[in-house]
Amino acid sequence: MSPDVREVERLEPLIVGTSEGAQEMTSRATTSAAALGVETGSVLRLDGVTLDPNSLDIERPDDETMIVNMGPVHPSTHGVLRLMLELDGEVVLRSKTIIGYLHTGMEKTGENLSYVQGATNVTRMDYLAPILNELNYSLAVEKLLGIEVPERAIWIRMMMSELNRVSSHLIWMATNGMDIGSTSAMIYGFRERELILAFFEKTAGLRMNLNYVRPGGVAADLPDGWEDDIEAICENLERRLPEYDQLLTGQPIFRQRMEGVAVISAEEAMALGVTGPVLRSTGVAWDLRRTMPYLAYDQVDFDVIVGTYGDNFDRYAVRLYEMLESVRIVRQCLDRMPAGHYRSQDPKVTPPPRARIGASMEALIHHFKLFTEGFHVPRGEVYSAVESPRGELGCYLVSDDGPRPYRIHVRTPSFANLHALPLMLRGGTVADAVTVISTLDPVMGDVDR
Amino acid sequence: MSAVEALPEGAYEVHALGADLGYVVEPRAYLALAAMLRGSGFEMCIDLCGVDYLEHPGRETPAEIRATRFEVVVNLLSLSRRERARIRVQAGDETPMVDSLFSLYPGVEGFEREVFDLFGIQFENHPELTRILMPEEWEGHPLRKDYGLGRVPVQFKETAPQ
């Protein structure tokens, strides 16, 4: 040993406790039967059956398994998700998700922002689907206000949400490719999404967190020449998406990682409140755009894509074909985009046109009042929901006749879907856990809010 | 168009905007009503959240029922009937407490933990009622109306609000 190397006594112990406390996963002996049921994903055995911790079909005693942390910062956790897994060798026996690392109290913030400002707040929740967040919030406010939105605004909203759905699914395809080692899918997904984001920037001024859909309509009309941009986007996607289908679906390694992995049944998915592509992959044709139409979805032609087995591969296939359906809707919007106003002409929610502000004192006061105090929304409570790329995105809004929401709660699909993880991880390997998180497609901003 | 034949004692039907069916219930009728709705085709509990009506003590409810400070709002969804139902439970004032829906809808486990975390509403027979979004040692329940807005301590004392 060279004289330069000296041995130092370690000052801190190697294992230090974290501040999660009771939120962490504990050994089986100290966990209650019901909590063990949750952690092993025993969803359908709850009715009448008491879970005995000793009779769980985990055969290994406590001291032969280990509890391993995955995350909160792990390349496959799509944000800051911490997963605690009890492992028997490579096999996951039970798991627990620990969330809250991205909690910024957006619901509390929302109570202190006026209805005009509210859209800027909610758009940051699911940062991959900002338009859908704003739309969901605006629809709830409009329901309470009881105002009608012009036809053109409805169709613009519909076109933008479908573009957003495609861009979100593309990111999903990209990160999913990344998670199973297919870096080319990663690069392609981001490349295609770029075109859509560029169109968003051209229309709303920003690529993400747009604040484009607002109560009463949209922030701006479509830019000149938008037809050509949309045409180019659609053409590109229609050409490229079948290529990705070929690249991924036809690839034996990809199929082996996806097929038959992490199966969830329709009953289990419904019991857990799982919605969106994950629910549809089990064969349940539930898409709010079709079953409870909002905007003008009852006037356009599209198919609801369903799977059969509820495994990773079906979730992938459902999303892939949903993108093509979205392109179909965008094309119909392109053909049938009505003329007219892009926002409500109700002076209660809509500021006067820019040109009049310089000329009329009343218009200036009106504009000032609308953006400082905001408009008052009648007393009441409402729940409204839209189909986001991840599932049902709902907004529960309570108004007390003031300019700010008394309570705003956003039902985020990722939060509910994430609670299906223990069920889907169970019995699989750690390597599969990565693909399961990926095909569940959680956005942690959406989970923690 | 009613989903249940006879409402349990302490449950009243009301109009609910954005849902087909609306109920305001006392805690004692909550689980029974939810079980009835579950049986009549409401397969999914899509959302569960809390509301703190601290500033609106005497708000409008059916005459027989007393409006309490805390309310638990449950949104159910029926895929087969394509309907929504909303249950508003008057959870209590000082020590709000309601039954857990875990035995009917296992998926509400996370939502109930969130409501407990942010409002301090207790759920009876919940498998593991711990905080979910806030750190474990956090004091107070942030979404209560008497919980002040956070302020980041500033290093420059001259700019700190007095």
Side-chain angles (χ1 to χ4, degrees):
Chain A
M1 187 191 275
S2 87
D4 293 341
V5 179
R6 61 197 173 90
E7 281 182 29
V8 186
E9 214 174 304
R10 182 172 284 279
L11 293 176
E12 310 99 37
L14 272 173
I15 301 162
V16 284
T18 65
S19 61
E20 302 297 343
Q23 293 178 36
E24 280 188 349
M25 185 191 238
T26 48
S27 74
R28 260 177 276 152
T30 55
T31 311
S32 75
L36 271 180
V38 173
E39 288 164 11
T40 49
S42 320
V43 175
L44 296 178
R45 298 196 302 188
L46 289 162
D47 273 335
V49 182
T50 326
L51 273 174
D52 178 6
N54 304 314
S55 78
L56 283 175
D57 31 349
I58 297 174
E59 278 161 12
R60 293 275 183 179
D62 251 353
D63 55 357
E64 286 181 28
T65 61
M66 54 181 171
I67 293 180
V68 169
N69 266 305
M70 213 168 138
V73 182
H74 184 279
S76 82
T77 52
H78 295 212
V80 274
L81 165 68
R82 178 170 169 210
L83 210 57
M84 290 187 88
L85 308 163
E86 182 174 355
L87 301 177
D88 171 15
E90 277 275 305
V91 180
V92 180
L93 298 176
R94 61 190 176 108
S95 57
K96 192 170 183 185
T97 53
I98 296 166
I99 58 173
Y101 296 99
L102 224 51
H103 178 61
T104 49
M106 287 167 126
E107 289 179 5
K108 184 87 176 171
T109 312
E111 290 173 7
N112 294 286
L113 294 176
S114 73
Y115 286 101
V116 182
Q117 296 167 319
T120 56
N121 182 35
V122 293
T123 189
R124 280 155 175 80
M125 287 179 178
D126 181 352
Y127 40 76
L128 292 183
I131 297 263
L132 276 301
N133 286 300
E134 297 160 16
L135 176 68
N136 174 40
Y137 166 80
S138 303
L139 287 178
V141 176
E142 282 156 13
K143 252 187 200 172
L144 273 179
L145 277 171
I147 58 168
E148 289 286 319
V149 177
E151 199 71 355
R152 186 174 171 85
I154 290 176
W155 283 77
I156 293 178
R157 282 175 172 191
M158 195 158 74
M159 190 179 82
M160 294 298 262
S161 12
E162 289 314 310
L163 285 174
N164 203 170
R165 190 182 315 277
V166 176
S167 79
S168 171
H169 280 349
L170 280 171
I171 280 284
W172 170 79
M173 194 189 79
T175 49
N176 180 55
M178 192 72 192
D179 285 339
I180 58 169
S182 160
T183 33
S184 24
M186 207 275 289
I187 289 161
Y188 294 153
F190 275 91
R191 181 182 66 185
E192 269 30 293
R193 173 178 179 254
E194 203 52 38
L195 285 177
I196 296 172
L197 292 194
F199 181 71
F200 283 172
E201 188 177 7
K202 197 171 173 184
T203 311
L206 292 166
R207 287 153 53 86
M208 294 169 84
N209 306 333
L210 308 157
N211 190 16
Y212 180 64
V213 179
R214 297 175 187 185
V218 293
D221 207 348
L222 294 169
D224 289 342
W226 65 274
E227 292 96 340
D228 299 336
D229 294 333
I230 295 293
E231 183 64 42
I233 290 173
C234 289
E235 230 168 61
N236 182 48
L237 286 168
E238 280 160 355
R239 193 175 68 247
R240 294 271 169 75
L241 286 174
E243 281 178 18
Y244 303 146
D245 189 6
Q246 223 170 11
L247 175 74
L248 293 171
T249 317
Q251 193 197 47
I253 299 172
F254 181 79
R255 290 189 80 118
Q256 279 172 13
R257 291 293 306 271
M258 304 294 263
E259 275 177 339
V261 175
V263 178
I264 183 168
S265 75
E267 290 78 23
E268 287 164 338
M270 283 194 263
L272 286 169
V274 170
T275 48
V278 185
L279 177 63
R280 285 195 287 278
S281 76
T282 65
V284 181
W286 184 261
D287 187 326
L288 290 179
R289 293 177 292 168
R290 170 61 51 81
T291 52
M292 292 178 164
Y294 53 97
L295 295 180
Y297 280 111
D298 47 352
Q299 298 168 36
V300 289
D301 199 21
F302 68 99
D303 290 327
V304 176
I305 310 290
V306 289
T308 315
Y309 305 106
D311 61 351
N312 270 347
F313 187 79
D314 276 6
R315 291 191 278 276
Y316 152 77
V318 164
R319 291 203 179 91
L320 182 72
Y321 285 96
E322 260 185 29
M323 284 195 260
L324 285 168
E325 292 305 315
S326 291
V327 174
R328 244 174 97 188
I329 300 176
V330 171
R331 275 209 178 278
Q332 291 171 61
C333 293
L334 178 62
D335 293 338
R336 295 167 59 185
M337 181 64 70
H341 294 295
Y342 62 91
R343 58 183 181 185
S344 164
Q345 294 305 295
D346 188 344
K348 204 178 154 194
V349 292
T350 306
R354 185 68 193 85
R356 278 195 55 221
I357 295 173
S360 147
M361 189 62 199
E362 284 72 29
L364 182 67
I365 295 170
H366 181 194
H367 182 273
F368 181 72
K369 280 288 270 186
L370 209 54
F371 282 95
T372 50
E373 189 190 335
F375 51 83
H376 291 246
V377 170
R379 188 184 301 268
E381 35 109 49
V382 69
Y383 180 83
S384 86
V386 300
E387 183 78 26
S388 99
R390 268 155 276 283
E392 172 166 338
L393 179 65
C395 182
Y396 182 69
L397 198 67
V398 181
S399 170
D400 62 348
D401 213 8
R404 287 183 294 275
Y406 187 72
R407 167 92 169 100
I408 174 168
H409 168 75
V410 179
R411 189 264 181 206
T412 52
S414 303
F415 184 85
N417 290 4
L418 200 66
H419 287 92
L421 260 188
L423 168 73
M424 291 155 88
L425 290 178
R426 179 175 186 191
T429 59
V430 186
D432 284 341
V434 173
T435 62
V436 177
I437 301 170
S438 169
T439 54
L440 203 60
D441 194 17
V443 169
M444 294 317 288
D446 203 24
V447 174
D448 295 339
R449 303 183 298 286
Chain B
M1 179 188 61
S2 184
V4 287
E5 289 107 42
L7 287 173
E9 190 122 331
Y12 305 94
E13 204 161 339
V14 292
H15 169 72
L17 194 57
D20 298 281
L21 301 162
Y23 302 96
V24 174
V25 303
E26 290 170 11
R28 63 188 166 122
Y30 171 45
L31 202 58
L33 178 67
M36 280 179 185
L37 289 170
R38 175 91 173 83
S40 68
F42 285 88
E43 304 99 340
M44 284 174 88
C45 177
I46 211 78
D47 187 25
L48 187 145
C49 69
V51 186
D52 178 4
Y53 282 105
L54 180 67
E55 293 155 29
H56 299 279
R59 67 189 187 287
E60 216 173 303
T61 46
E64 301 85 353
I65 206 162
R66 191 181 67 85
T68 58
R69 175 179 167 188
F70 290 103
E71 211 172 74
V72 172
V73 183
V74 185
N75 276 292
L76 303 178
L77 176 69
S78 169
L79 274 60
S80 46
R81 300 160 55 132
R82 295 196 181 181
E83 271 182 6
R84 288 183 192 279
R86 179 145 82 240
I87 309 176
R88 289 163 56 196
V89 197
Q90 305 302 315
D93 301 296
E94 295 305 311
T95 48
M97 190 162 194
V98 297
D99 285 309
S100 169
L101 283 189
F102 181 67
S103 56
L104 296 170
Y105 301 101
V108 298
E109 182 250 345
F111 287 109
E112 287 181 343
R113 276 177 70 194
E114 187 187 316
V115 173
F116 163 73
D117 188 358
L118 303 179
F119 286 95
I121 299 174
Q122 296 282 337
F123 289 89
E124 220 165 343
N125 297 324
H126 186 282
E128 203 176 10
L129 204 59
T130 52
R131 286 187 182 275
I132 185 164
L133 294 177
M134 307 302 287
E136 197 56 35
E137 70 270 24
W138 195 267
E139 280 173 26
H141 301 285
L143 275 182
R144 288 191 173 192
K145 285 287 175 182
D146 50 10
Y147 187 95
L149 281 180
R151 207 174 264 131
V152 180
V154 276
Q155 280 187 327
F156 305 104
K157 292 286 187 296
E158 298 81 57
T159 57
Q162 297 303 313

